[in-house]
Amino acid sequence: MIKSIKIFAPATVANLSCGFDVLGCCLDNVGDEMNISLVSEPGVKITKIEGADLPLETHKNVAGVAVEALLKAYDKMVGVHIEIYKKIKAGSGIGSSAASSAGAVWAVNHLLDEPFTPHDLVSFAMEGEKLASGNAHADNVAPALLGGFTLVRSYDPLDVIKLHSPKDLVMTVIHPQIEVKTSDSRSVIKQNVALKKAIQQWGNVGGLVAGLFTENYDLIGRSLEDVIIEPLRSILIPEFKAVKEIAMAKGALGCGISGSGPSIFALSKGTETAKIVSEAIRSVYIKTGLDFDIHVSPINNQGIKLINP
Ligand code: HSE
């Protein structure tokens, strides 16, 4: 082994209601751990996966595919070993595949003394997302790599913008323990959008971005509305309507589907409100008999982090 690091690869909430495939944010206390090493024998190997039943073959593993994309661009013989300790469940809607892809490319770039920019890393990590869901969306890998809130202004050419992250925003996320594959959840979406709905949606995207930069919490709340995707996808999520109603009644700024679901997010101003919202959501979900996890997390403005040995 030449050198090795341990990292925290965070969970992320994509879409943020109005921003399907373009908006996302990074959580602080929910995520995977990974050990990434440079080794003398060239090639990429997934040497260990704990906490999930995922393929060890490099070309079938999102982290493996993402690192191979990076090394192709690096164009020098490099050996990489990857150990993944999954804490984010696959199909949870909080960026499980993104944490692995983004974490792996961030760590290899760090070990190689940073030949690539964070934006380059987004494009390598998107290869992992393509393998996971058949679609190279960047709204989970971008916030994992850049931290805070991010906007994918354009996919072609890729143009990712880091937004301002007001310090009082706190996420509550409930993860019902049912798996909803991103590919299945994407298949229920219609390919065409009525102009009237599109107008509402892009108004909200602009409102949310403006609200983040001006720290206008009311505007953030008003803009967390999804008139296009949520009505179609929410039927896949047990008690979505009841969770949203109670979260809003308890003071959340907004509530919606986290990524492709089944997780549901509620964004609040302040930890106290986020905890009240969390307890209220728990009281709804406990009645379903389903297993679930609830996380309350500040926004992580840094993204992937080194864990000191
Ligand atoms: N934007 C993607 C989707 C995110 O909603 O399908 C997947 O986590």
Side-chain angles (χ1 to χ4, degrees), residues 14-15 20-21 93 137 139-140 182 186 233 259-260:
N15 299 340
F20 178 70
D21 275 1
H137 59 91
D139 51 342
N140 290 107
T182 298
R186 291 183 83 86
R233 277 183 168 173
S260 53

Side-chain angles (χ1 to χ4, degrees), residues 244-268:
K244 185 166 177 165
E245 270 168 23
I246 204 157
M248 298 307 290
K250 294 292 175 182
L253 297 169
C255 177
I257 304 170
S258 175
S260 53
S263 289
I264 304 169
F265 79 90
L267 190 61
S268 300

Side-chain angles (χ1 to χ4, degrees), residues 12-15 19-23 92-98 129 133 135 137-140 155 181-183 185-186 189 229 233 257-261:
T12 44
V13 173
N15 299 340
F20 178 70
D21 275 1
V22 299
L23 287 170
S92 57
I94 49 171
S96 180
S97 53
E129 293 294 66
S133 72
N135 181 277
H137 59 91
D139 51 342
N140 290 107
Y155 274 91
K181 288 207 175 80
T182 298
S183 48
S185 184
R186 291 183 83 86
I189 298 168
I229 311 290
R233 277 183 168 173
I257 304 170
S258 175
S260 53

Side-chain angles (χ1 to χ4, degrees), residues 7-67:
I7 60 157
F8 169 72
T12 44
V13 173
N15 299 340
L16 296 170
S17 296
C18 52
F20 178 70
D21 275 1
V22 299
L23 287 170
C25 73
C26 187
L27 301 183
D28 200 35
N29 53 20
V30 193
D32 297 339
E33 288 179 10
M34 303 174 83
N35 287 340
I36 316 280
S37 310
L38 290 187
V39 296
S40 47
E41 188 193 338
V44 183
K45 275 194 188 147
I46 315 291
T47 50
K48 194 195 241 185
I49 302 175
E50 277 184 18
D53 185 17
L54 294 167
L56 284 163
E57 296 100 312
T58 306
H59 68 286
K60 291 187 185 165
N61 184 290
V62 298
V65 167
V67 171

Side-chain angles (χ1 to χ4, degrees), residues 176-178 238 285-292:
Q177 309 274 305
I178 51 168
Y285 241 82
I286 212 123
K287 293 181 201 143
T288 64
L290 288 170
D291 288 335
F292 62 92

Side-chain angles (χ1 to χ4, degrees), residues 196-258:
K196 199 174 166 193
K197 287 192 174 164
I199 291 166
Q200 248 177 299
Q201 202 88 345
W202 60 54
N204 282 323
V205 173
L208 184 51
V209 171
L212 291 170
F213 274 103
T214 57
E215 303 204 354
N216 182 334
Y217 293 91
D218 286 341
L219 177 56
I220 292 169
R222 293 203 300 284
S223 308
L224 286 168
E225 178 191 45
D226 175 4
V227 296
I228 296 174
I229 311 290
E230 186 179 291
L232 300 171
R233 277 183 168 173
S234 55
I235 48 175
L236 302 172
I237 305 172
E239 297 298 335
F240 177 80
K241 196 163 168 268
V243 166
K244 185 166 177 165
E245 270 168 23
I246 204 157
M248 298 307 290
K250 294 292 175 182
L253 297 169
C255 177
I257 304 170
S258 175

